[in-house]
Amino acid sequence: MTDPVLKDPRALYYESEFPKQDQEIPALQKKMKPVPDCGEESYVGHERLLNRRVLITGGNSGIGRAAAIAYAREGTDIALQFYPGEEPDAKQVAKVCGKSGAQSRLTTI
């Protein structure tokens, strides 16, 4: 039996001070420093929700974005609802979800 590969979770994430930053509304994630990881690089799905569909409001940023990516990587088709002006982030999420094989639909509120 091999030894388990243990990693200190405190050393896995951003540790520096966050710079003060303000954005006009609607705020876009690509302008944040550092750009948050909502699972684009870190979340690995296991297709536990194949052939399901979900509507996510606010799926273009933050927790909604992370949920959309997680659902897509688990095999769910996604419908994202977002506010006008947040379309660049919503399109980016749809592209990430599409790479997982999920169908993505975008609608504005």
Side-chain angles (χ1 to χ4, degrees):
M1 182 178 222
T2 61
D3 290 333
V5 178
L6 300 176
K7 296 180 183 177
D8 183 351
R10 296 170 295 176
L12 294 176
Y13 305 101
Y14 186 79
E15 294 181 20
S16 301
E17 288 291 320
F18 290 101
K20 182 167 175 46
Q21 51 191 315
D22 292 316
Q23 289 189 41
E24 296 294 322
I25 296 175
L28 296 177
Q29 184 158 316
K30 67 181 179 183
K31 293 182 180 178
M32 295 180 186
K33 293 190 177 47
V35 175
D37 175 20
C38 294
E40 295 93 339
E41 303 297 325
S42 59
Y43 187 80
V44 177
H46 301 283
E47 297 185 337
R48 293 180 178 136
L49 299 171
L50 287 172
N51 302 317
R52 305 287 177 129
R53 291 170 183 82
V54 65
L55 168 65
I56 301 174
T57 59
N60 57 294
S61 63
I63 293 170
R65 181 185 187 107
I69 292 167
Y71 274 113
R73 298 226 171 124
E74 293 298 340
T76 306
D77 291 336
I78 308 293
L80 295 173
Q81 196 170 28
F82 59 93
Y83 285 113
E86 297 175 342
E87 189 168 353
D89 279 352
K91 284 184 176 180
Q92 186 181 31
V93 173
K95 183 177 179 181
V96 170
C97 291
K99 287 181 181 177
S100 300
Q103 290 184 355
S104 302
R105 290 186 171 74
L106 302 175
T107 60
T108 59
I109 294 176

